[in-house]
Amino acid sequence: MRCGVLYSGGKDSTLAALVLEPFYEVTLVTATFGIADVVAPGRRAAEAVGLGFETIDLDPTIAEAAVERMVTDGYPRTGIQRVHEHAVETIADAGFPAIADGTRRDDRVPTIDRSVAQSVEDRFGVDYLAPLSGFGRDAIDALVEQHLRVETGPSEAIPKADYETELRALMREEHGAETVADVFPEHTQSRVVGRR
Amino acid sequence: MRCGVLYSGGKDSTLAALVLEPFYEVTLVTATFGIADVVAPGRRAAEAVGLGFETIDLDPTIAEAAVERMVTDGYPRTGIQRVHEHAVETIADAGFPAIADGTRRDDRVPTIDRSVAQSVEDRFGVDYLAPLSGFGRDAIDALVEQHLRVETGPSEAIPKADYETELRALMREEHGAETVADVFPEHTQSRVVGRR
């Protein structure tokens, strides 16, 4: 069965794909608002692990609304959650019988709880899979270490194929770099450069 | 890394082991109160899928308490949950650096929520994995169909290597077969007889 995995080029979504690989015909799918070039880093990471790659288009009005929400809130959580659900619904509507993402047990955001998962499955007629949702942070770190080659660095320095990159770019354009720095806590990003 | 998977010989715990197999050195572990012979069906199923097999001993006083609770409640849920947590804690204390079970996203019981999982990890210094917790019922049914050969039948007819079998046996002994029929809703059990 074909499975489209929402793909950021980072370690979580790549590991999610590796868990599914023995059971599904996996395609890595980078979702883009068309605001920043997230397709190139997604394709590069997909090639580095030797899996198929596609892109899907997200609705830019969702990005606008999410950025305004994050600036009003002063933190990104609610906006990110809304964008993630939009991305899941978009890939669910893209023709794959199964879809997946890299959400993890210990993530606070984004999360897809059981009721949201079942709602997506019912509305779009797909299986929604969260292969890392049964793994804690330490287990995931150990599996990444064993199976992937990863480059890490600050968010601004590591080209990622995720909507956070685009939301930051849009926020920078509309509210300035200082607002981005205020709203998004600096954290280390990872980019997959191959398998081990 | 070695991973002990709580093993009933059924389709869920077997599929959980198959998901982990590319990443861990998996041992299937049947937990027993010593009330009924659940070891033989567990070992048979483990041999049928070609994975290592061990047993661990559960505390019979937990089974006694669970049976009394289930009879008082008139339904098995709370007793089963207590026994499952005891089984998870017992395998967590058995020397495996990682442990796992076959709990699924759509199960009402047993469940190990994030706080319980993190508590087990902290207290016993293990990784707790629930590889099927990100998969819905339809996805699991499809994966089982593709990867396992399974025999199904009513609970009383299919020899399983799970604590429900032992709790039923203890309840029958102490409260009679009619009480067992009242407390445990009849449902179809599965037993794995090989891989596809």
Side-chain angles (χ1 to χ4, degrees), chain B residues 52-84:
Chain B
F53 180 75
E54 288 182 17
T55 64
I56 52 171
D57 291 331
L58 299 177
D59 177 355
T61 66
I62 301 280
E64 293 281 351
V67 162
E68 294 318 307
R69 177 64 190 257
M70 292 188 284
V71 171
T72 306
D73 287 346
Y75 56 80
R77 203 174 58 209
T78 312
I80 291 279
Q81 179 66 28
R82 179 68 197 92
V83 168
H84 188 69

Side-chain angles (χ1 to χ4, degrees), chain B residues 49-129:
Chain B
V49 294
L51 289 168
F53 180 75
E54 288 182 17
T55 64
I56 52 171
D57 291 331
L58 299 177
D59 177 355
T61 66
I62 301 280
E64 293 281 351
V67 162
E68 294 318 307
R69 177 64 190 257
M70 292 188 284
V71 171
T72 306
D73 287 346
Y75 56 80
R77 203 174 58 209
T78 312
I80 291 279
Q81 179 66 28
R82 179 68 197 92
V83 168
H84 188 69
E85 290 183 20
H86 171 60
V88 168
E89 290 172 348
T90 305
I91 192 174
D93 203 25
F96 295 101
I99 61 165
D101 64 20
T103 54
R104 311 177 305 173
R105 187 191 77 193
D106 298 341
D107 285 343
R108 301 280 151 174
V109 64
T111 61
I112 298 291
D113 68 20
R114 185 169 69 188
S115 61
V116 174
Q118 286 176 331
S119 163
V120 167
E121 294 185 335
D122 292 345
R123 282 182 292 141
F124 296 96
V126 297
D127 289 331
Y128 164 78
L129 315 174

